[in-house]
Structure formats: C-alpha cells, structure tokens
Amino acid sequence: QQQVKQSPQSLIVQKGGISIINCAYENTAFDYFPWYQQFPGKGPALLIAIRPDVSEKKEGRFTISFNKSAKQFSLHIMDSQPGDSATYFCAASWGAQKLVFGQGTRLTINP
Amino acid sequence: EAGVAQSPRYKIIEKRQSVAFWCNPISGHATLYWYQQILGQGPKLLIQFQNNGVVDDSQLPKDRFSAERLKGVDSTLKIQPAKLEDSAVYLCASSSTGPGNEQFFGPGTRLTVL
C-alpha cells in the first residue's frame, strides 16, 4: 500500500514532442505528489508538485495531471528539449515528509 | 544559498569492511533524511531526523546500519559490516519544518562493495 508504481521505465521522444510519464498509488492518505528530475551524478531536484485538491498544475512546459478517483497522476513535458533528457521520479507523501518514490523513467529527447 | 553537502562522493570497499558517510544540510533545515538509491530504482528512505531526534527509521537495517545527527546539524551514516547488496548511492536530503516543505537533495555518495 506504500508503493508508487511508475511507467514507462524508459521513454524516447523527438525534440518538440510531448513526453508523458504516469504514476499510480494505493494509499489514500497521500496528500503531496512531487515529481523529481535527476541528472547523472546528481541528486534528485524538485520539478513540480501537486496536492489532491486540484486536478492540474502547470509550470512552464511542465504539467501535472491528477486523478484522485483513479489514484493516478502524470507528468507532461511539452515541447520536449534535449536538455530535458534525465531520469524522472514521481513520489508521494503524507504530511509532506516521508517521500515514497516510483521506480523512475529514463527520458531521452532525440534532437 | 549553499546546497546539501555530502562526502565522500565515491567509496569502494571490500565486503565486511565498514564505511561512513557525512552530510551537512542546508543551514537552518531542521529535518534531515538519508536515502538509499540502488541502480535503476527510486530512492528509498532509510532514516529521518527532526533536529537531532529520529522520526522514522523503520526501513533502516539496524543490524548493520547506524546514523546519528549530533547537535541537530551534520549527520553521519555508517555501515558495519558492509554486504555486496549495499552497493548503491546514498543520498542525504534536508528540509525546513512546515507544511509543503520541499526536500533538497545532496549529490550523493556512490558506494561500491566488492
């Protein structure tokens, strides 16, 4: 019940395309859903986060869509750029403290 | 503002040896976390400190792992003795106290156990 399942494991998108990564959770106590971006040799960095009282949040080219009834949320990257190539992790927590991470998606943007 | 600092960045040891990692969180951050990230997986929380007290260590293998946060600032994570399966990146993160507090991660220590 503590798991967050993420898909796909890897994703290749052409430059300018839309990258979509999906996550699903079971624990309805989760109240904070962040997405982290990680480059090789670096620690994860917060990209964007959402709380379950809204269905969508947009920051620049990055959008989180949240479906509370389905217990799913997804990250959309519009106009994907080669610099977006990284590993992306969804996560969930309660009380914005203990984070449970998904397995990660390695995104490659082809120029 | 300086980020989370960790050292060493890389460590290679033989199995059954001991190893220690050090973390200096962002100044003023009361909460400190240690995560284990095995290659190809997401980070897994090992232990969470609030100031110098342990909040959650439910996933810390206490027969070989120990951690402390003296004076509520720096923290060390120790493994003794190390096993092959401990090969991973050990990430330290910190956050300020309060709702919606973002966790800031350090660059991690990559441990290889031979």
Side-chain angles (χ1 to χ4, degrees), chain A residues 38 41 43 51 89 96-98, chain B residues 9 33 37 48 100-101 103:
Chain A
Q38 186 175 31
R51 295 197 178 273
F89 294 96
Q97 292 286 335
K98 178 178 180 175
Chain B
R9 292 296 314 275
Y33 314 79
Q37 185 176 21
Q48 176 184 343
N101 43 349
Q103 292 187 28

Side-chain angles (χ1 to χ4, degrees), chain A residues 23-109:
Chain A
C23 284
Y25 64 97
E26 288 294 326
N27 189 346
T28 55
F30 288 142
D31 62 0
Y32 176 68
F33 301 88
W35 283 89
Y36 280 81
Q37 180 188 55
Q38 186 175 31
F39 292 104
K42 306 288 186 183
L46 180 67
L47 194 60
I48 186 173
I50 197 169
R51 295 197 178 273
D53 53 345
V54 297
S55 60
E56 186 174 283
K57 182 175 181 180
K58 184 176 181 179
E59 290 183 1
R61 297 184 294 109
F62 302 92
T63 300
I64 298 180
S65 296
F66 186 82
N67 186 329
K68 188 174 181 178
S69 61
K71 292 186 282 187
Q72 295 175 348
F73 58 110
S74 60
L75 175 69
H76 292 64
I77 306 175
M78 311 300 289
D79 187 27
S80 300
Q81 298 297 311
D84 298 329
S85 296
T87 300
Y88 293 80
F89 294 96
C90 62
S93 76
W94 56 99
Q97 292 286 335
K98 178 178 180 175
L99 283 172
V100 178
F101 283 84
Q103 298 91 325
T105 297
R106 177 173 289 186
L107 174 65
T108 302
I109 308 299

